[in-house]
Structures are given as C-alpha cells and as structure tokens.
Amino acid sequence: MSRIGKNPIAIPAGVTVEVKEAVVTVKGKLGELTQEFSDVTVKIEDNQVIVERSSDHKDERAKHGLYRSLINNMIVGVSEGFTKQLELVGVGYRASNQGQKLDLALGFSHNIVLDVVSEVVVETISEKGKNPIVKLSSFDKQLLGQVAAKIRGFRKPEPYKGKGVKFVGEELRRKAGKSA
C-alpha cells in the first residue's frame, strides 16, 4: 500500500472540492484549480478527500500516491498559497519589476525582460549590501516551479564562485579553483 496514497486529505474551511467523472476541481479564496485523474477513485467523505485504487497493478500503484499529492497541493495552494525566492549572486546582477514584467540584469549585453503569467505574483527586493531577491508567489505549485526554473535557467549558479541565480537556502556544490 502506498504510504502517501493511503493518507486522507483534510479539507480546510473555505475550500470546496468537487469530483465529476475523472476531474477534481478545488476552489478556495486564492483561486480555482482542476486536475484530471485515471486508474484511481477519488471520494469525499466527512470533510476528507480519500484516494483509493482498485488493484495492485503497477500503473495504479504508481498513480495512487501521485494523485493524492497533486490533490493535496491543490488544496494547500488555494487556501494558503506557495512562495519561492530566487537570489541573484554576482557583481552587477539586478532585478526590477513593473507589474508582471520582470527585468533581470545578469551580466549579458542586454537585460532579460520576462512577462510572467498572471497567476504568479512577482516582487523584487533590493537592499544595499545584499543580493537582489526575486519573490514569486502563486496558488498553483506546478506553475510556480516552472516559472522559477525558467528564471534560474537564465544564469545557473556556477561551481567556482557561486555566481548566478539560485534559490534562497539552496546548497551549491563548490569546487576548489586552481591552486598556485
């Protein structure tokens, strides 16, 4: 039995969960998310969502914990939301935003201007003497991770000096440079 899949998901106050055919819809104060599912059954019993599978077939075992985690992330997202913070490490690396337009100076000849989707809220924090921080928040965990990975992909942290775009709190593998 899947350890994750067999745990029921508690539905907090202010969140509604609907199951129609093979689609779960979750509505909350921050937004609305839908997720299709297959090979499992999703039930709502006394303010809990329960994900069950009919057999021990390999596909059903694999999807049991997956869909339970996806539905849980949807419920947490519409009730509390998710945030990710990216830190720009490097001399002259800057970040600014006007609404949903994120302007990044990452050491290239031109600035990178990224139009961020409306579901993800962008905020930039620049303090003197500290590295600039790009704060992303959204109710959709998958979309948030995708946007954060795209921003990180513009200039990944390099292993010698650690320059680049990294997540706040991320541990980097550092290499020793040339020893003279």
Side-chain angles (χ1 to χ4, degrees), residues 38-105:
S38 62
D39 296 335
V40 294
T41 56
V42 178
K43 294 186 218 166
I44 300 168
E45 294 177 1
D46 44 274
N47 223 21
Q48 288 185 330
V49 178
I50 298 165
V51 180
E52 294 176 339
R53 63 176 191 247
S54 58
S55 71
D56 269 351
H57 192 265
K58 188 176 180 181
D59 289 342
E60 292 185 18
R61 283 200 323 260
K63 291 179 181 177
H64 190 202
L66 167 76
Y67 286 123
R68 191 263 178 208
S69 293
L70 290 176
I71 294 168
N72 186 49
N73 287 341
M74 290 164 58
I75 291 173
V76 171
V78 297
S79 59
E80 300 167 25
F82 296 100
T83 59
K84 281 192 185 273
Q85 292 184 337
L86 294 135
E87 184 178 7
L88 280 60
V89 181
V91 177
Y93 287 11
R94 290 186 303 279
S96 62
N97 70 309
Q98 288 86 30
Q100 291 298 99
K101 280 195 184 296
L102 180 64
D103 189 5
L104 299 168

Side-chain angles (χ1 to χ4, degrees), residues 81-86 100 102 114 116 119-124 133-138 143-152 167:
F82 296 100
T83 59
K84 281 192 185 273
Q85 292 184 337
L86 294 135
Q100 291 298 99
L102 180 64
L114 180 69
V116 181
E119 289 88 4
V120 178
V121 179
V122 181
E123 182 186 344
T124 54
I133 291 176
V134 177
K135 187 176 179 183
L136 304 169
S137 55
S138 177
L143 185 65
L144 179 70
Q146 197 173 353
V147 170
K150 184 167 183 69
I151 294 169
R152 186 179 186 271
F167 292 107

Side-chain angles (χ1 to χ4, degrees), residues 2-19:
S2 169
R3 287 188 195 170
I4 294 171
K6 69 181 178 183
N7 294 335
I9 307 163
I11 302 173
V15 175
T16 58
V17 180
E18 291 180 9
V19 180

Side-chain angles (χ1 to χ4, degrees), residues 155-166:
R155 177 79 79 175
K156 287 186 178 170
E158 53 96 20
Y160 295 101
K161 291 184 179 176
K163 289 170 55 173
V165 180
K166 71 179 191 88

Side-chain angles (χ1 to χ4, degrees), residues 124-143:
T124 54
I125 304 164
S126 297
E127 294 179 19
K128 190 170 174 80
K130 292 186 179 177
N131 293 328
I133 291 176
V134 177
K135 187 176 179 183
L136 304 169
S137 55
S138 177
F139 58 89
D140 190 345
K141 188 174 187 178
Q142 185 177 355
L143 185 65

